[in-house]
Amino acid sequence: MGFGKFWRRDGSDTGETQPVADRAVAEDAVWEWFAAGLAWTLFTLPEDGILTLVDEDGTGWFAQFGKASGLRAEVGSGAVNDASGLALAERGWRRSDENEHTWYRYLRWPARYTDYEELADAVVGALGRVAGVWLPLGLRSQSWNDGFGPDPDVSELAVFGLAAERMRAMTPATLHELAGVGMRKLGQTKVIEQGNHQKRTIVAGFVVDSEGWELLTGGGEQWPMGDRTVDFVALAGTDRLVALDVYVDVEDPGDIRLDNRVVEGKRVERGTAPFVEAAVRANPDLADALAARDLLTAFHDGRMHIDYQLLTLDSAHGIARFDIGASTENPRTAASDPAPPTSQETDIRWFPLLKPADWPHRGLVRYQETGTAGAPIAVVAEDREGEFAVAVEHPDSVDFRAQWESAITNLEALHYDWEIGEVATIPIANCSGHDFSAEKILDPNALRIAHRFLKAPRLWVSVPRRTCLMAAPTTLNQAQAVAFAILIQRTYADDSYGHAPITSGVYVVEDGHIIDFVEDPEILHATGDRR
């Protein structure tokens, strides 16, 4: 930035000796470091993050920043005079309507990283040139989060709130070394994040190549580019885009903390359809990529679907893909077209899906417990012509209870035949081979048929894998109970048909309703009744 001698208090230029010139260079280096650290801190400030900087050196000036669908930066003082106000206006600051002593600038989301650097330079100019703050080391910082997200990380903005006397006592060498340490630390942080960006690029590239898609945005070596919308957008056909977010060094996907933002007045979470729509629409590079392929008009006219996938990379370089249900048409329809229907207006067919108790994605969606801690959970999924996408539920989206009730209603409307027979002398009612056979554990009317066939008021019911449900009376003798446990374990371990495993445990059912869950089927003979 090259402020040089300006940062001396009197601003004079009297042909000073070399030691004074060295101090000017050192002070310049401190402001250079501060501007770089401030740009990074504002860039990484989470949604709803707040940062304040107050001068402890007697000027009374402050700077404060808040992120909420954009970044608002304010500078001011209780003693902003006309000359200061004019100087701020000349530097692109606008007077706040709420406080005549506060001036602001605003970055709309998504902003480029260069925008953050320019804003940080503007803040440095306001504090140093206009306010007369001597060194940023005299600034006291506070930070917090007004919402539900993480607290801001301000470690790259190591302002100290030092007294002026202490700063003046520092030698030029000490000041220069402080600036150098700060710049080196920021450089190391950027190297780490650059490595994470390269990991994300490799993961996305692998998935995109394996699917035969074309990567439109998010690739390349240049980083950071700007605010995060979605990490990557791929073209999967002339009428379909796929938005991909990639999380690296993730051992348990349930620990992923998804960010959120306000879309059309409602707070929505990453991965939900409204978030994906807004993020893809706001992506600053997508329009050019689509225009180069003559697809921009189709995108604007709402003729392109947008799917969403979340990818993770663990420490063993294992890649996991989660389709958590955010699939939408582009919301930007042509003015002559009717408005796209809302989720309440569309004929969405919800169904329950059983997932293992340790399903790694359970932290990403709403679900219904089906028993004790070791029992499977039940999520709701949308029927997409035989493929089922798990729905992401958010407090501001369609009510989960309504989805759940609709899913159970649709499940109950499915009527599957039961097969009655004996397996290793065990009387068994089998309702398997259908898409929602296992989920019939949630349908009391269906289970009452098994009660009648087996002439048993209480049943063991096993759902070891998708499309599989087996019921037996709890009055089995010890040998039969052991044989039934072995049958469950073998079915659970058998991947011959490619159906996803659910549980090796077993439910206790009475009058069609679940009353208990036994995680270890080997103890059936000890827990069954003898009625």
Side-chain angles (χ1 to χ4, degrees):
M1 288 159 47
F3 296 122
K5 301 170 187 175
F6 173 82
W7 296 114
R8 282 172 289 117
R9 267 294 191 200
D10 59 4
S12 63
D13 185 4
T14 58
E16 56 272 27
T17 61
Q18 186 63 38
V20 176
D22 285 346
R23 176 169 288 277
V25 171
E27 292 171 2
D28 190 12
V30 171
W31 280 104
E32 290 271 8
W33 152 63
F34 177 76
L38 181 61
W40 178 264
T41 301
L42 297 180
F43 172 62
T44 58
L45 197 69
E47 191 78 0
D48 299 314
I50 305 292
L51 169 67
T52 65
L53 303 169
V54 179
D55 181 32
E56 296 281 289
D57 194 16
T59 69
W61 278 71
F62 64 87
Q64 59 188 22
F65 311 90
K67 220 172 205 181
S69 298
L71 178 73
R72 182 182 175 94
E74 296 181 345
V75 295
S77 166
V80 177
N81 55 36
D82 291 340
S84 297
L86 179 61
L88 290 172
E90 289 175 346
R91 288 167 171 80
W93 295 88
R94 290 182 285 178
R95 189 187 297 274
S96 172
D97 294 333
E98 298 84 8
N99 185 344
E100 63 179 11
H101 299 298
T102 301
W103 295 71
Y104 77 95
R105 295 173 68 133
Y106 187 76
L107 291 182
R108 295 187 179 277
W109 177 85
R112 300 276 187 178
Y113 189 68
T114 52
D115 296 331
Y116 286 96
E117 292 179 315
E118 291 174 4
L119 178 61
D121 286 348
V123 172
V124 166
L127 294 178
R129 293 182 182 274
V130 177
V133 174
W134 179 33
L135 283 177
L137 301 180
L139 298 173
R140 175 173 52 85
S141 67
Q142 286 185 304
S143 61
W144 66 93
N145 196 303
D146 267 353
F148 302 99
D151 289 333
D153 179 6
V154 295
S155 59
E156 300 303 330
L157 195 62
V159 290
F160 304 113
L162 300 178
E165 293 76 14
R166 184 175 178 185
M167 288 188 289
R168 290 191 180 96
M170 291 182 181
T171 66
T174 299
L175 288 175
H176 205 279
E177 180 59 24
L178 279 174
V181 169
M183 289 295 270
R184 288 193 293 274
K185 183 176 183 299
L186 177 59
Q188 292 168 355
T189 298
K190 287 187 175 182
V191 167
I192 293 172
E193 292 303 322
Q194 173 69 22
N196 289 335
H197 169 69
Q198 291 175 344
K199 291 179 183 178
R200 289 192 292 269
T201 300
I202 292 171
V203 170
F206 174 81
V207 171
V208 168
D209 289 345
S210 66
E211 293 287 351
W213 301 337
E214 180 185 1
L215 190 65
L216 297 180
T217 69
E221 296 299 321
Q222 189 176 356
W223 188 90
M225 292 291 291
D227 282 329
R228 183 184 188 190
T229 53
V230 290
D231 292 336
F232 302 89
V233 179
L235 182 65
T238 57
D239 62 349
R240 181 182 172 221
L241 297 173
V242 182
L244 305 102
D245 280 329
V246 184
Y247 291 79
V248 299
D249 300 327
V250 173
E251 305 307 320
D252 183 358
D255 292 336
I256 293 176
R257 191 173 195 173
L258 299 177
D259 58 329
N260 59 76
R261 67 180 313 98
V262 175
V263 176
E264 296 182 354
K266 293 184 177 181
R267 186 165 295 280
V268 295
E269 192 172 62
R270 179 170 294 276
T272 59
F275 190 111
V276 173
E277 290 171 1
V280 172
R281 186 169 68 246
N283 190 302
D285 302 312
L286 184 59
D288 290 342
L290 291 174
R293 294 156 181 80
D294 296 325
L295 292 173
L296 189 58
T297 300
F299 178 70
H300 284 304
D301 289 351
R303 290 183 277 120
M304 298 194 75
H305 296 273
I306 306 172
D307 293 337
Y308 177 81
Q309 289 192 9
L310 188 152
L311 314 175
T312 65
L313 178 72
D314 61 27
S315 59
H317 300 154
I319 298 174
R321 299 171 60 177
F322 309 135
D323 180 354
I324 57 178
S327 178
T328 179
E329 293 186 5
N330 191 303
R332 302 171 71 180
T333 57
S336 59
D337 293 337
T342 65
S343 58
Q344 289 92 341
E345 295 169 340
T346 55
D347 186 22
I348 297 176
R349 284 176 56 79
W350 301 109
F351 287 93
L353 283 181
L354 291 179
K355 297 293 184 181
D358 59 352
W359 189 49
H361 325 329
R362 66 183 291 165
L364 305 177
V365 300
R366 288 280 298 277
Y367 56 84
Q368 186 79 13
E369 301 279 3
T370 69
T372 56
I377 61 173
V379 300
V380 293
E382 178 186 348
D383 182 3
R384 298 180 183 169
E385 299 180 354
E387 294 185 0
F388 301 96
V390 176
V392 175
E393 171 58 21
H394 187 274
D396 290 331
S397 62
V398 178
D399 180 66
F400 176 76
R401 180 53 52 189
Q403 289 181 343
W404 176 256
E405 291 175 355
S406 175
I408 293 300
T409 299
N410 289 332
L411 176 70
E412 292 172 343
L414 300 174
H415 299 288
Y416 300 149
D417 292 334
W418 288 81
E419 296 181 3
I420 310 300
E422 285 191 358
V423 178
T425 75
I426 311 165
I428 286 180
N430 190 333
C431 179
S432 299
H434 307 283
D435 283 341
F436 295 98
S437 290
E439 283 71 24
K440 280 294 182 177
I441 186 66
L442 306 172
D443 182 356
N445 289 329
L447 294 176
R448 289 188 184 108
I449 298 174
H451 281 295
R452 291 198 299 270
F453 281 154
L454 295 173
K455 298 181 176 60
R458 184 175 291 187
L459 302 174
W460 299 117
V461 181
S462 168
V463 288
R465 285 183 172 266
R466 286 294 316 280
T467 78
C468 180
L469 183 147
M470 302 179 292
T474 59
T475 53
L476 300 179
N477 60 39
Q478 184 172 357
Q480 290 173 321
V482 170
F484 189 43
I486 293 173
L487 176 63
I488 293 170
Q489 292 282 15
R490 287 180 176 174
T491 306
Y492 177 73
D494 184 4
D495 193 27
S496 301
Y497 297 96
H499 299 309
I502 298 175
T503 180
S504 61
V506 65
Y507 291 96
V508 184
V509 174
E510 189 172 281
D511 190 30
H513 294 279
I514 298 170
I515 63 172
D516 199 3
F517 178 78
V518 178
E519 195 168 356
D520 184 0
E522 293 186 2
I523 64 172
L524 294 187
H525 65 279
T527 55
D529 59 26
R530 295 289 176 260
R531 292 190 294 174

